[in-house]
Amino acid sequence: MCSPSLRVAWMFGILAAPASAQDSLFRTPGMPARASSGQTDRFSNEFNPAIGVVIDAIVDHLDTDVEMADDGFDATVRSFEASINGRVDPDWWLYATVVYADEDEEIELEEAASHFTGFDSNTTLRFGRFFADFGKQMQAHVHDLPYPERPGVLAEYLGDELPGTGAQIDHWWVSGDASTLRASFGVFADLERGHEDDDAGTAVALDDRKDADELALSLRATQFMDVGETGVFQWGFSALHLADFAFEDEANGLTEDGLSNTVYGLDLTYGVDSEDGLSGWTFGGEYLIQSGDIGAETNGAATALEVLDDDVSGFYAWGERRFGAKSSAGILYGQLEHPEEGTPSDNEVTAYYTRNLSEYARLRFAVSQLDADDGGDETRLLIQLTTFAGPHAHGVNW
Amino acid sequence: MQLFLLASLMLGAGGGTRVVATLPDLADLANRIGGDRVDVTSLARPGQNLHAVRVKPSHLVAVSRADVFLQVGLSLEHAWVPGLLETARNRDVSPGGKGFVNAGEDFETIDVPQRLDRSEAVDVHPQGNPHVNQSFEGGRYMAARILAGLERVDPGGAKAYRANHAAWLADYEAARTRWEIIATAVAAKGDSVCVYHREFDYLLRDVGLEVAISLEPKPGIAPTPAHLANVVKTCRERGVRVIVTAPWSNNKSVASVAKATGAEVLELPLVLGDGRKHASWIAMIDDTVGRLARAVGVDPDAVVREHAAKEPSAAGGGGGGGKAR
């Protein structure tokens, strides 16, 4: 036994030592060893990944006639995101994002993925947990979107965000002197597509382990091209297949499993800049069709779940004017069908103004109107303040 | 003719070693040194803010096919070049590849931050002011590194590259002599200017003009009303006659200060092709030095003539830019 003073001295010695990466300072036979030249454990923070954080805060006022919903003011830290990214070695890059969301009041690992870029071709392999490659905007986190909220059709058919655990390959080709084509294919053991149906009280459930034919699949092809000196046009087609899931009604203990559905999407985006590149216009939109087992309702006696096997569709379109490096304004219109009887639909319109106080602080004002066939109408006034400290990088593709 | 030359810089033409340059200035130097052995493409358009270049598919294609990639470095193009190089996946022109030329690397920079702290500025360049292409010495420095890069990638053309470089250097030295003569006359007046952003610090230093104050309170931060009032006060106190801007920063704030102080707004090219569409980097600096001199009351042609009359061998001949316009 050593004396307390020696123990304190030992602890201070540990704390004062240079911060070393993952490994122990002294290695004996049989302990973990890497096929390396000692680089992993012999250097300190110089090689550490970049670290950044984002706070996305919202103050809003909601005026709604939806049953069970509250009117009035609210203030939330919608998300606090901490991320790291860095080169592992010349062939690998990794990034990870941990998010605390006020709504869920929990910390969630949203992304943690490694990219292999060591091929001599334009191919990238991605492994881990990452946002599935679907459409133009689903890979962006909500605070990175050009408007304050995920468009309704994306949120309803795919979820606010689309993290999955699996692997993805993508490759791009030259398709002309001013045009490139990219395609990706992803396989996921766990794809957390948003399917919650509040009205019906049902939620999506996934098995922990699956057969090969039960894995979720994603596919995307997109081409972008110069349009004149200052314009760029992009089109894309995406598909996402959820091969095996269940609808659950926990309150009544009901489950319907062995279900599947597919979402197809078409996206178009055009951006044109002024000569100095600081101002310009952007126009875009996505059209989605959701097909298969798209919803479930508990029957009147609460003895069974009735699965809705149908097709529904929706779209959004938006246009934005950038006035300069600091400010922009835009408008978004969206429409979507719900799977329930009679395919009730939602119409949304949002107008917003964004002011970049600097590259690291952004203020946004927005007003949105939701007109829902099967619920009530909502009008929302919103102020969003997003601040960034340190680097901010995700595995966003084009 | 000038427009044709500029267009050929932007688009690239012919065969040979494929050179992609981030700026038209680098493309001009590569064309002069590479001659007919190179096919040069410039990515940034004249007039663009170099931190806000939108990467286009044509950029991706050009870089994926390039034999040589030229950038100034020093984080001038940091907002768009790293991602472009990573996506283009052309190892020959990626950092560490033999075709990657960091033309401004190790240049003796100014404005190096004392400490890296976001409370000091938003637009921070850890290695110092990256606008090396605005420095008299920058042209020579970057040309030497471009020469080395071309020789490395195409050793068979080394003899031609060196001959072309020597010819360019002769033009440059003649022009440099003129610039120094004019700068001596400008410095003797002891004038200072106001700027919007600190992108012309090399040029103003070389020409002999002090920066009295910037419209940006800190680099990358837009001017506030209180700061603009301070700018007006400083300009009046120091008798500032000129506000220097780039095309992207010639904005309402600049106009309001000019109106309040009676100072002249001088919009200068930040890269080759801005504004007056100069045919070469030497011609751009020639013209810029002349305009700055005239703005503070120095006749550049008269100064050069006077100097030539006193020292006939030192006033510089023709080549490159000709007389200061």
Side-chain angles (χ1 to χ4, degrees), chain A residues 87 91 118 121-124 172 174 176-178 224-226 229-230 273-276 322 326 360 398, chain B residues 45-49 52 54 56-58 60-61 64-65 86-89 91 118 122 220-222 248:
Chain A
R87 273 275 159 198
D91 292 336
S121 65
N122 301 327
T123 304
T124 301
W172 69 268
V174 172
D177 286 343
F224 81 147
M225 58 202 76
D226 289 19
E229 279 294 308
T230 62
D273 292 342
S274 61
E275 280 298 313
D276 63 11
R322 282 179 293 120
K326 301 291 184 189
Y360 302 95
W398 42 276
Chain B
R45 291 190 313 275
Q48 269 186 305
N49 181 311
R54 184 203 290 266
K56 300 192 299 179
S58 53
L60 195 53
V61 174
S64 73
R65 293 170 171 169
E86 190 138 320
T87 306
R89 213 58 86 65
R91 291 188 179 213
R118 288 282 174 215
V122 170
I221 298 287
W248 73 270

Side-chain angles (χ1 to χ4, degrees), chain B residues 175-263:
Chain B
R176 176 80 181 256
T177 303
R178 287 194 302 278
W179 304 339
E180 302 284 4
I181 292 167
I182 296 166
T184 302
V186 171
K189 294 194 63 105
D191 270 36
S192 56
V193 298
C194 168
V195 298
Y196 183 87
H197 183 67
R198 304 299 295 259
E199 57 222 331
F200 294 110
D201 279 13
Y202 288 110
L203 180 69
L204 295 170
R205 177 201 63 180
D206 291 350
V207 174
L209 288 168
E210 191 187 337
V211 176
I213 193 166
S214 303
L215 265 71
E216 287 183 331
K218 292 181 177 179
I221 298 287
T224 59
H227 182 70
L228 285 180
N230 188 37
V231 169
V232 170
K233 181 168 173 274
T234 303
C235 288
R236 283 177 180 154
E237 286 172 356
R238 299 191 56 172
V240 169
R241 290 187 282 178
V242 184
I243 305 170
V244 177
T245 76
W248 73 270
S249 56
N250 193 357
N251 53 31
K252 287 178 185 170
S253 300
V254 171
S256 72
V257 173
K259 189 177 177 185
T261 60

Side-chain angles (χ1 to χ4, degrees), chain A residues 136 234 266-270 283-287 315-318:
Chain A
K136 178 69 179 174
Q234 180 177 10
L266 177 68
D267 56 277
L268 304 171
T269 311
Y270 172 68
F283 301 98
E286 298 189 55
Y287 176 75
F315 72 93
Y316 76 92
W318 67 289

Side-chain angles (χ1 to χ4, degrees), chain B residues 96-119:
Chain B
K98 69 176 180 178
F100 179 75
V101 178
N102 218 358
E105 189 177 32
D106 295 332
F107 187 76
E108 193 174 326
T109 54
I110 58 175
D111 304 337
V112 180
Q114 295 295 307
R115 61 193 183 107
L116 295 178
D117 184 343
R118 288 282 174 215
S119 68

Side-chain angles (χ1 to χ4, degrees), chain B residues 110-144:
Chain B
I110 58 175
D111 304 337
V112 180
Q114 295 295 307
R115 61 193 183 107
L116 295 178
D117 184 343
R118 288 282 174 215
S119 68
E120 296 294 314
V122 170
D123 187 7
V124 177
H125 297 279
Q127 297 154 283
N129 193 314
H131 297 280
V132 174
N133 63 315
Q134 291 291 331
S135 157
F136 289 178
E137 184 59 25
R140 173 161 46 198
Y141 190 87
M142 294 191 296

Side-chain angles (χ1 to χ4, degrees), chain A residues 57-355:
Chain A
I58 285 182
V59 177
D60 68 345
H61 180 271
L62 189 66
D63 181 6
T64 178
D65 52 15
V66 175
E67 280 183 40
M68 309 291 288
D70 285 339
D71 284 324
F73 287 99
D74 195 11
T76 57
V77 174
R78 181 164 64 171
S79 65
F80 168 80
E81 175 190 295
S83 62
I84 61 165
N85 85 91
R87 273 275 159 198
V88 175
D89 64 24
D91 292 336
W92 289 88
W93 178 77
L94 70 72
Y95 73 102
T97 302
V98 174
V99 175
Y100 169 82
D102 219 6
E103 189 178 357
D104 304 327
E105 293 187 339
E106 63 182 29
I107 295 172
E108 184 183 351
L109 177 68
E110 282 204 337
E111 295 186 272
S114 301
H115 289 205
F116 181 75
T117 58
F119 296 108
D120 282 333
S121 65
N122 301 327
T123 304
T124 301
L125 284 178
R126 189 193 297 200
F127 305 92
R129 184 172 173 81
F130 53 89
F131 285 8
D133 187 12
F134 186 101
K136 178 69 179 174
Q137 300 288 5
M138 280 311 291
Q139 289 194 65
H141 286 235
V142 174
H143 61 254
D144 285 328
L145 291 171
Y147 21 75
E149 298 285 355
R150 185 82 64 192
V153 64
L154 300 180
E156 178 71 14
Y157 296 172
L158 298 166
D160 256 344
E161 291 178 335
L162 194 51
T165 305
Q168 178 184 296
I169 183 170
D170 76 66
H171 184 88
W172 69 268
W173 298 265
V174 172
S175 53
D177 286 343
S179 164
T180 55
L181 179 70
R182 186 180 72 84
S184 75
F185 177 68
V187 181
F188 300 90
D190 175 17
L191 188 69
E192 293 182 10
R193 201 167 98 191
H195 265 281
E196 191 139 355
D197 188 334
D198 293 335
D199 297 336
T202 59
V204 169
L206 302 170
D207 288 339
D208 288 340
R209 294 191 175 274
K210 300 177 175 65
D211 293 332
D213 61 356
E214 295 172 344
L215 298 171
L217 306 173
S218 73
L219 177 72
R220 175 160 170 79
T222 181
Q223 186 178 30
F224 81 147
M225 58 202 76
D226 289 19
V227 179
E229 279 294 308
T230 62
V232 173
F233 173 72
Q234 180 177 10
W235 67 264
F237 168 78
S238 308
L240 191 71
H241 179 62
L242 207 55
D244 183 69
F245 69 94
F247 279 124
E248 285 183 346
D249 178 352
E250 282 190 20
N252 296 302
L254 302 173
T255 300
E256 278 291 330
D257 56 13
L259 307 174
S260 69
N261 69 27
T262 306
V263 181
Y264 304 95
L266 177 68
D267 56 277
L268 304 171
T269 311
Y270 172 68
V272 62
D273 292 342
S274 61
E275 280 298 313
D276 63 11
L278 295 177
S279 59
W281 292 89
T282 306
F283 301 98
E286 298 189 55
Y287 176 75
L288 272 66
I289 297 174
Q290 189 181 26
S291 180
D293 301 316
I294 57 177
E297 291 178 326
T298 308
N299 67 1
T303 55
L305 277 177
E306 293 174 357
V307 175
L308 305 164
D309 183 356
D310 202 349
D311 295 346
V312 286
S313 63
F315 72 93
Y316 76 92
W318 67 289
E320 181 179 276
R321 167 70 175 155
R322 282 179 293 120
F323 302 108
K326 301 291 184 189
S327 59
S328 59
I331 190 161
L332 179 146
Y333 175 76
Q335 204 175 77
L336 70 97
E337 293 174 334
H338 290 282
E340 289 83 16
E341 182 73 29
T343 57
S345 64
D346 288 355
N347 291 281
E348 63 173 332
V349 61
T350 299
Y352 61 91
Y353 171 79
T354 303
R355 178 75 183 172

